[in-house]
Amino acid sequence: MLPERERHALREIEAELQANDPAFAAAFSGRKLRRLRRWNLLLVLCDVTAVVMLLVGLFARDAELVLWGTVSAGALVAWHIARAETARETTGDGAAPAAR
């Protein structure tokens, strides 16, 4: 355990960091990572659900289930593309590749 004086100094450094660069401070707090993992888990569960809907609809010959599976798969493709574009913008890799 740290002495009270060092804990106080650490809290001051954290407060200053939070005030000067909130994005940097949030990256070290772990909040974004948990939120990102949650969204990734939700996306994977939606993918699995869409595939199951398509397969069950095909084998059961249920047109409605195939339709909804196809619609949800299309929406999930759009979601994957949007997440990839957002990730590319945040990492700064938005530049076009050099021609060969």
Side-chain angles (χ1 to χ4, degrees):
M1 232 22 223
L2 292 174
E4 182 61 34
R5 186 183 65 154
E6 291 178 3
R7 278 188 274 163
H8 180 69
L10 184 60
R11 280 193 295 266
E12 285 180 1
I13 292 170
E14 288 173 351
E16 185 178 338
L17 179 64
Q18 182 68 30
N20 291 339
D21 195 355
F24 183 71
F28 277 103
S29 71
R31 290 184 203 128
K32 279 190 174 183
L33 291 176
R34 279 182 259 143
R35 196 174 328 143
L36 182 62
R37 283 188 204 131
R38 198 174 307 141
W39 279 110
N40 285 339
L41 177 63
L42 179 63
L43 186 57
V44 168
L45 289 175
C46 289
D47 290 339
V48 169
T49 302
V51 169
V52 168
M53 285 171 54
L54 278 169
L55 290 175
V56 169
L58 287 172
F59 286 118
R61 295 186 179 170
D62 184 1
E64 268 186 43
L65 203 53
V66 172
L67 173 68
W68 284 111
T70 305
V71 169
S72 62
L76 287 167
V77 166
W79 190 4
H80 279 284
I81 291 171
R83 285 181 57 85
E85 289 294 321
T86 303
R88 187 178 309 138
E89 288 173 2
T90 57
T91 58
D93 294 342
R100 292 183 183 177

